[in-house]
Amino acid sequence: MKTNFYLTTPIYYVNDKPHIGHAYTTILADVLSRYHRVAGDDVFFLTGLDEHGQKVQQAAEKRGLSPQDHCNDLAPRFTQLWERLQIEYNDFIRTTQPRHVMLVQQVLQKVYDSGDIYADEYEGWYSVAEERFITAIEKESGQFRDVKKLKERNWFFRMGKYQTRLIEYIHSHPEFIRPLHRCNEILGFLRQPLGDLCISRPKARMSWGIEIPFDTDYVTYVWFDALLNYLTGVGYLSNEEQFKKRWPADLHLIGKDILTTHAVYWPTMLFSLGLPLPKTIFAHGWWLTGDAKMSKSLGNVVNPLDLIEQYGVDPVRYYLMREMVLGQDANFTLESFIKRYNSDLANDFGNLLNRVSGLISKNFDGVVPQAGVLSAEEEPIKTGGEQLEGKVRKLIQELSVHEAIEEVMTLIREVNTYVEKQAPWKVARTDLKRAGTILYTSTEALRLSAVLLEPVMPSKTRTVLDILGAPGSKANWGGLKHGTKLKSHQALFPRIELEKSA
Ligand code: MSP
């Protein structure tokens, strides 16, 4: 039986065009989806847009558009970018879609009927930028812009009621919030009394949202609306069969800045609805591109999305996945991109293809030779190749994408060293059979590596498999057929020459 795997990205605010943060999480989700699909899982990958709330309303106002027109205008920029980045999602949700609006209203009614929503008058400091009331301590900190005193009647969700249950749940489910330091951060946060969550905005102040069904003077708070997308996407209250199959989600991928909403608000909402919690919420770090020191002294801060135009999608996907240790911050610089590209893709991966295809062309008329008896020299390569899929799969399960990639690159490097040492171009002069064994072994390891990197670089790896006459082949040793005529090709990853070095 297939294992279900339901994963999500955050839904992105439609207040500007997509940036690196959006692209990163979405690529990460795509890479994980692809690995799971290859492993035979029944994957459901949901992404989409968060279209309500003050930020979107203000962005629309600035452009002189209605919020809906503004969203309709910007939404294609996201879907087009996802297409360009070869993102294969299963569903794209927009929170203004009727299916979502209906669900949010049903949920509000349900939670209200159960007694978990009540009205109260509240006076406090309100941050326009943050769209929420802030505490006195937060106000003191001076970190918030546009703060004003506000007294309002609002609707509140009894979040505080679930505090103890949430703490216990986190303790008994070590996989729930990852990485561990984020889990500890949330446990630290939960040491203070949780309080209830204001989930309404009076239309008089902010009207761009989903109307509260039991009080039409109000719309619901954008986060209460947005988090529910994860239920809408799998048919909660509308498609029982799909919902039963998909929920709970296996993985919510998020950035570290939206951890509290996901690891505190969301589970308490689910508790109130009587639904199981997602298995894992994983908070990744940030790509730092605006480091002043970096930009001033080196002038090397770039918009990563521009790199796609120049160097193609696959190298950018590769760089983002290889360079960030999931859970930590990483620096995005042109220099490190070029360095990574040249060392891993041009020198190691691309070079191996060039070498084996060149040698096979020269010594075997471009036809994959047969492997004879393997010597002790080949054994580590073959064993490494045979074990690679298992290692990669395990690391992907652990969400250690950069290490999974590194495993493959390590084999590629070993194969390059092996070819260097075995010197099949010399061996061919005296022992063609032996040269054939060396070249079969190295080409097969290359094929296998391409198969295992396919989720990261879907285009280039397919090109390699096509050249090797093995499209759609699997990651087990022996998939390369001797007698296959290799296709001619150009350099897979032409080296990027650094114009200036800092
Ligand atoms: N709409 C909310 C999410 C609702 S999910 C129910 C939101 N949207 S956002 O567009 O502002 O941010 C989306 C994601 O981008 C967040 O996960 C955030 O962490 C991520 N990033 C924004 N800038 C980033 C980087 N520089 N690097 C990595 N990710 C960052 O929040």
Side-chain angles (χ1 to χ4, degrees):
M1 219 183 75
K2 282 190 162 192
T3 312
N4 290 316
F5 190 76
Y6 172 29
L7 87 166
T8 66
T9 70
I11 48 171
Y12 306 116
Y13 284 130
V14 198
N15 48 0
D16 205 351
K17 43 186 195 317
H19 57 65
I20 176 70
H22 306 134
Y24 172 69
T25 322
T26 314
I27 292 172
L28 174 62
D30 185 60
V31 168
L32 293 172
S33 291
R34 287 171 186 265
Y35 274 117
H36 278 271
R37 281 193 205 110
V38 173
D41 294 350
D42 184 350
V43 174
F44 191 79
F45 164 15
L46 179 72
T47 187
L49 299 176
D50 191 352
E51 301 193 345
H52 291 124
Q54 194 148 316
K55 285 194 183 113
V56 176
Q57 186 175 348
Q58 283 170 344
E61 269 163 21
K62 257 198 205 149
R63 299 176 69 208
L65 292 175
S66 75
Q68 189 65 69
D69 285 348
H70 162 82
C71 293
N72 292 347
D73 181 54
L74 284 189
R77 298 207 198 172
F78 285 83
T79 47
Q80 280 157 13
L81 178 63
W82 300 158
E83 207 181 318
R84 180 95 177 79
L85 289 172
Q86 307 210 4
I87 308 295
E88 290 185 349
Y89 50 77
N90 294 88
D91 197 354
F92 190 83
I93 188 163
R94 296 179 55 186
T95 54
T96 52
Q97 286 165 345
R99 60 171 173 162
H100 180 71
V101 174
M102 243 164 64
L103 175 122
V104 172
Q105 292 187 321
Q106 280 171 306
V107 165
L108 281 164
Q109 190 66 50
K110 221 171 142 92
V111 179
Y112 176 72
D113 291 345
S114 74
D116 271 356
I117 291 178
Y118 62 95
D120 198 7
E121 185 120 305
Y122 183 82
E123 181 169 18
W125 294 107
Y126 184 82
S127 156
V128 179
E130 284 284 304
E131 290 182 59
R132 65 177 176 95
F133 284 100
I134 57 172
T135 62
I137 299 170
E138 284 177 322
K139 163 91 172 46
E140 288 300 302
S141 76
Q143 284 173 12
F144 296 88
R145 289 173 293 116
D146 293 339
V147 177
K148 54 186 181 190
K149 194 95 189 220
L150 210 65
K151 184 174 183 182
E152 252 178 25
R153 177 184 175 271
N154 266 305
W155 292 97
F156 289 83
F157 167 57
R158 289 188 202 282
M159 184 159 74
K161 172 176 156 183
Y162 296 104
Q163 177 163 10
T164 313
R165 189 166 158 198
L166 179 58
I167 295 171
E168 281 164 9
Y169 187 91
I170 295 173
H171 280 300
S172 56
H173 294 79
E175 292 290 295
F176 179 50
I177 304 169
R178 291 182 58 198
L180 185 64
H181 65 278
R182 298 288 169 214
C183 181
N184 291 334
E185 194 180 300
I186 290 296
L187 285 171
F189 176 82
L190 288 170
R191 274 200 276 275
Q192 304 292 324
L194 186 53
D196 291 340
L197 182 67
C198 178
I199 55 150
S200 66
R201 299 291 180 264
K203 278 186 186 168
R205 174 157 65 77
M206 215 290 294
S207 61
W208 182 235
I210 296 177
E211 190 173 83
I212 296 198
F214 45 84
D215 189 345
T216 55
D217 288 338
Y218 291 81
V219 294
T220 194
Y221 171 44
V222 65
W223 272 102
F224 196 88
D225 157 355
L227 288 161
L228 288 167
N229 92 86
Y230 302 133
L231 295 183
T232 308
V234 289
Y236 180 53
L237 301 177
S238 66
N239 183 341
E240 211 178 309
E241 202 185 313
Q242 192 201 13
F243 186 67
K244 228 176 103 196
K245 176 175 168 188
R246 296 295 180 191
W247 192 261
D250 294 276
L251 179 62
H252 287 322
L253 287 171
I254 58 165
K256 62 180 181 180
D257 54 318
I258 54 175
L259 181 64
T260 312
T261 47
H262 280 81
V264 179
Y265 299 6
W266 182 223
T268 57
M269 287 164 68
L270 291 166
F271 280 151
S272 176
L273 288 168
L275 293 174
L277 305 193
K279 289 184 199 137
T280 297
I281 296 167
F282 195 104
H284 63 70
W286 271 49
W287 283 99
L288 308 175
T289 54
D291 186 319
K293 189 168 145 238
M294 209 191 315
S295 62
K296 262 192 221 151
S297 58
L298 306 176
N300 58 359
V301 173
V302 282
N303 175 0
L305 301 181
D306 295 342
L307 291 184
I308 297 170
E309 291 309 316
Q310 212 168 339
Y311 304 110
V313 171
D314 281 20
V316 174
R317 284 176 64 115
Y318 179 87
Y319 172 79
L320 292 176
M321 293 302 110
R322 174 62 189 83
E323 202 71 18
M324 185 176 264
V325 176
L326 213 56
Q328 294 173 18
D329 289 345
N331 278 314
F332 195 116
T333 68
L334 183 59
E335 267 202 324
S336 75
F337 171 80
I338 293 179
K339 217 167 137 197
R340 183 60 80 186
Y341 175 103
N342 280 342
S343 68
D344 293 16
L345 300 180
N347 288 2
D348 295 338
F349 192 28
N351 183 36
L352 181 57
L353 173 69
N354 274 350
R355 277 178 128 178
V356 295
S357 73
L359 287 164
I360 290 176
S361 148
K362 197 157 169 224
N363 298 290
F364 295 93
D365 287 333
V367 174
V368 177
Q370 191 163 9
V373 181
L374 300 195
S375 73
E377 307 291 341
E378 282 72 54
E379 282 307 334
I381 304 288
K382 182 168 181 248
T383 313
E386 283 169 343
Q387 291 173 347
L388 196 57
E389 186 177 26
K391 284 189 190 164
V392 167
R393 195 170 288 183
K394 181 167 170 285
L395 288 164
I396 292 297
Q397 291 285 355
E398 292 164 5
L399 297 175
S400 198
V401 180
H402 77 286
E403 278 184 286
I405 294 174
E406 191 48 28
E407 280 291 343
V408 184
M409 292 315 294
T410 303
L411 180 71
I412 289 177
R413 271 178 229 122
E414 279 166 12
V415 180
N416 271 322
T417 313
Y418 159 81
V419 174
E420 195 68 43
K421 237 176 103 190
Q422 296 306 308
W425 54 93
K426 276 192 208 151
V427 176
R429 287 183 222 139
T430 52
D431 186 349
L432 203 58
K433 218 166 162 194
R434 170 86 196 124
T437 302
I438 300 165
L439 283 172
Y440 180 89
T441 305
S442 36
T443 313
E444 172 56 353
L446 169 69
R447 183 199 65 81
L448 213 132
S449 305
V451 171
L452 288 170
L453 285 177
E454 201 167 341
V456 181
M457 296 190 286
S459 298
K460 290 288 186 183
T461 52
R462 266 174 224 164
T463 305
V464 173
L465 294 175
D466 194 45
I467 293 166
L468 301 182
S473 56
K474 301 272 181 283
N476 33 335
W477 191 265
L480 180 70
K481 299 285 167 247
H482 67 87
T484 307
K485 175 100 182 140
L486 299 188
K487 288 195 183 142
S488 62
H489 63 92
Q490 304 194 318
L492 198 59
F493 297 106
R495 252 189 95 78
I496 305 171
E497 296 308 331
L498 256 188
E499 281 155 29
K500 67 174 175 67
S501 173

